[in-house]
Amino acid sequence: MSTPTAMPACLYIVATPIGNLSDMTPHAIDVLKQVAIIACEDTRTSGKLLSHFGIDTKGSKTDDAKASTPHHNENSAADDTDTTSKQKGHNKLWAYHEHNSAIQTPKIIEMIEQGHSVALISDAGTPLVSDPGYQLVQAAHAAGVAVSPIVGASAAIGALSVAGLPSDRFSFIGFLPAKTHGRQKQLSALIARTETLIFYEAPHRIIASLEDMATIFGADREVAFCRELTKTFETVRKSTLGDLVEFVKADDNQQRGEIVVVVAGVNVAQDSDDISIHDKLLQRLLEDLSVKKAAALGADITGVKKNALYQRLLELQAE
């Protein structure tokens, strides 16, 4: 068994900057300097960040080969099977991503149980928000291992803070399905949600996703488009979905970088008398359910009386 580190044995979930390196907190730097292992998505990307802040990724020579060598991954600088003979101490930077999490998770938990401290970071922002890590945190709780957040930057919360949309209730949706049918199906299921919705989207799909949102949610639905937050060419634009589609189409620069789309929920007070605003949802429910079951489920989702939805479903069937 390797020698435990002086830092308390714990799994630290450490937020890193999403663009501006000045957003790195002193607490995060201190923790990353002291932990025995830093688990990250991409060792090359994280290695550059850690180097910028003077965080040494070489561990103590007292740690044994097992501590220094995680499961082989071609992208990991910590994967050399002859690590102890090639460097003075072990490489404390471990690759941890969706493709190796099943293998790495028990190894990391074992290290913490032996008395070592471990930090989990993502390529940018707060880990587990559209990033790997859920399995590791779940396993830590199951093993009775302490888990502690080292808070900091988050693109989702940053976008919400500047969106100018209700922030008392919101849902983080993350990335929509890449294929058109799956994306439209998920958006249809969200059409009657009253809380603010937060989406991430890839640059090459942003126009298609915005067009689908405008079609399903309505072109007049309020939205905030937040791109490259905290970076030099940051964009924050409050608009409607219809106008936003044209804005992004007209400027290739808006189709690059990290994108967060914050969409207003349905305004129930404004639209409660117009049951037709729920037509897309009701039509989607009718594809899989009887009128009776669709009315019941629709009532649960929208808050509209079941009898009123039942009548509207009959009208839609007749059209």
Side-chain angles (χ1 to χ4, degrees):
M1 183 180 294
S2 55
T3 304
T5 54
M7 200 172 187
C10 179
L11 174 61
Y12 296 94
I13 309 302
V14 182
T16 57
I18 59 175
N20 191 322
L21 294 178
S22 298
D23 292 333
M24 188 76 158
T25 69
H27 191 190
I29 295 172
D30 185 53
V31 167
L32 293 174
K33 283 183 175 180
Q34 294 189 60
V35 293
I37 297 167
I38 300 173
C40 59
E41 288 181 81
D42 188 320
T43 57
R44 290 167 296 187
T45 298
S46 294
K48 293 175 184 176
L49 175 74
L50 298 172
S51 176
H52 176 85
F53 290 104
I55 299 169
D56 188 7
T57 58
K58 302 303 180 187
S60 166
K61 354 175 158 178
T62 58
D63 288 318
D64 61 12
K66 183 178 179 182
S68 66
T69 310
H71 176 69
H72 176 73
N73 177 277
E74 64 183 0
N75 293 329
S76 173
D79 291 337
D80 197 323
T81 55
D82 192 27
T83 303
T84 52
S85 64
K86 294 183 179 181
Q87 59 188 46
K88 292 181 180 180
H90 79 264
N91 190 333
K92 75 175 190 179
L93 204 56
W94 286 26
Y96 186 90
H97 45 72
E98 61 181 340
H99 302 297
N100 73 356
S101 59
I103 294 173
Q104 294 289 68
T105 293
K107 292 184 178 182
I108 291 173
I109 297 301
E110 181 182 3
M111 292 302 297
I112 300 173
E113 290 176 329
Q114 290 177 358
H116 296 278
S117 54
V118 176
L120 174 68
I121 62 175
S122 64
D123 285 346
T126 301
L128 278 76
V129 182
S130 274
D131 283 318
Y134 159 73
Q135 288 184 353
L136 181 57
V137 175
Q138 184 184 52
H141 285 300
V145 167
V147 183
S148 180
I150 310 300
V151 299
S154 167
I157 300 303
L160 180 65
S161 73
V162 298
L165 295 171
S167 56
D168 56 333
R169 292 177 61 247
F170 63 90
S171 290
F172 175 72
I173 309 302
F175 287 96
L176 290 165
K179 294 185 178 179
T180 301
H181 176 72
R183 182 170 61 244
Q184 293 176 346
K185 182 177 180 180
Q186 184 168 351
L187 290 171
S188 295
L190 298 168
I191 191 172
R193 298 279 282 271
T194 58
E195 75 274 25
T196 298
L197 305 174
I198 304 174
F199 300 88
Y200 286 170
E201 193 48 279
H204 64 282
R205 290 198 300 267
I206 186 60
I207 291 177
S209 289
L210 290 176
E211 288 178 333
D212 285 341
M213 288 181 188
T215 299
I216 294 170
F217 292 156
D220 59 347
R221 183 79 73 93
E222 282 192 304
V223 62
F225 180 75
C226 304
R227 186 186 69 89
E228 294 289 86
L229 291 179
T230 79
K231 299 178 185 177
T232 303
F233 299 105
E234 175 182 274
T235 299
V236 176
R237 183 181 178 88
K238 177 81 176 292
S239 182
T240 62
L241 282 167
D243 288 342
L244 182 59
V245 169
E246 298 308 315
F247 170 73
V248 175
K249 278 184 174 180
D251 186 352
D252 288 346
N253 289 324
Q254 302 306 324
Q255 300 166 38
R256 299 188 177 100
E258 304 292 330
I259 300 170
V260 186
V261 180
V262 187
V263 181
V266 169
N267 189 330
V268 177
Q270 190 177 62
D271 299 327
S272 59
D273 293 332
D274 185 6
I275 295 178
S276 66
I277 66 164
H278 303 300
D279 280 0
K280 285 186 170 62
L281 170 65
L282 297 178
Q283 288 168 337
R284 177 67 189 90
L285 293 176
L286 277 175
E287 292 179 12
D288 299 317
L289 303 172
S290 66
V291 172
K292 183 177 179 180
K293 289 182 178 179
L297 181 55
D300 288 341
I301 295 172
T302 65
V304 177
K305 290 184 178 179
K306 182 168 65 175
N307 289 343
L309 291 179
Y310 186 88
Q311 291 301 317
R312 182 58 184 160
L313 284 161
L314 292 176
E315 293 171 5
L316 291 172
Q317 271 194 328
E319 289 179 359

